Amino acid sequence: MAETDTGRPPRDEVDRIVLAWQRERPDLDVRPLTVLSRVSRLARHLDLARRRAFARHGLETWEFDVLAALRRAGEPYRLSPGALLTQTLVTSGTMTNRIDRLAEQGLVERQPSPDDRRGVLVQLTPAGLQRVDAAFCDLLDVERSLIGELREADRERLAALLRDVLTLFDAS
């Protein structure tokens, strides 16, 4: 088996990918792959785990995102469609479609805005509140199990490093 630059055999798929690129393109600095390929692979694993957790509650990821944004708003669990756009990073047409679909399921309802006669607010229904709370508890259990082997200090250090990287993207 090939060895990494530390003299040890590869420990994960990214190590194997990096070694192959180093062999094939020794003229290139492939070190960014050691971080960002792991982040990418981790994101795929996390997405699959989240999808399974949400599916147990009859939700798609996008449904959870909208319901969770409303839940985080606090009582009375309502936001304007514009605020939902900001929090979920989708277009207004997409958000309208999502609100329509959630309303058809009885998870949200549109309310007239008390501040603007033409405006509406999207509010969680009791069924939506119950569903998002149950899905969130399940999600936390799943995510806790995914990082359960890491020591608390390592979790905190990893969270801080990821925050630093993400801040670079969010600023642009």
Side-chain angles (χ1 to χ4, degrees):
M1 179 182 292
E3 292 184 353
T4 64
D5 56 0
T6 62
R8 293 185 304 232
R11 293 178 29 185
D12 68 3
E13 185 62 23
V14 173
D15 286 331
R16 286 183 277 284
I17 290 168
V18 168
L19 282 172
W21 277 119
Q22 287 172 331
R23 182 188 68 241
E24 295 299 316
R25 292 297 310 265
D27 57 311
L28 296 177
D29 177 9
V30 296
R31 286 178 294 180
L33 293 176
T34 65
V35 174
L36 299 177
S37 289
R38 285 186 173 96
V39 169
S40 177
R41 292 177 69 82
L42 180 60
R44 281 186 250 147
H45 286 294
L46 182 56
D47 181 56
L48 292 171
R50 285 180 161 195
R51 287 176 189 269
R52 287 190 297 268
F54 299 148
R56 287 191 288 271
H57 301 277
L59 294 173
E60 297 287 336
T61 300
W62 67 265
E63 292 171 316
F64 177 83
D65 289 345
V66 174
L67 297 176
L70 292 167
R71 178 63 170 99
R72 289 190 310 268
E75 284 193 69
Y77 312 116
R78 65 181 174 204
L79 292 169
S80 69
L84 286 170
L85 288 174
T86 301
Q87 292 192 33
T88 60
L89 302 174
V90 298
T91 66
S92 60
T94 297
M95 183 53 66
T96 298
N97 184 297
R98 290 179 175 187
I99 294 167
D100 288 345
R101 291 174 63 185
L102 290 167
E104 288 171 10
Q105 295 177 60
L107 300 175
V108 302
E109 57 189 14
R110 288 181 173 89
Q111 301 283 330
S113 172
D115 303 323
D116 179 1
R117 289 185 308 165
R118 296 172 295 155
V120 297
L121 296 172
V122 180
Q123 183 169 344
L124 275 178
T125 63
L129 179 63
Q130 180 181 3
R131 182 96 54 99
V132 72
D133 278 353
F136 185 58
C137 288
D138 197 4
L139 173 64
L140 289 175
D141 288 342
V142 166
E143 291 187 354
R144 207 173 284 113
S145 72
L146 292 174
I147 60 171
E149 297 295 317
L150 293 176
R151 294 186 326 241
E152 186 62 31
D154 291 337
R155 289 180 200 179
E156 291 173 10
R157 193 173 82 228
L158 179 58
L161 290 169
L162 291 171
R163 180 185 305 111
D164 290 345
V165 173
L166 189 56
T167 300
L168 298 172
F169 284 94
D170 288 346
S172 58

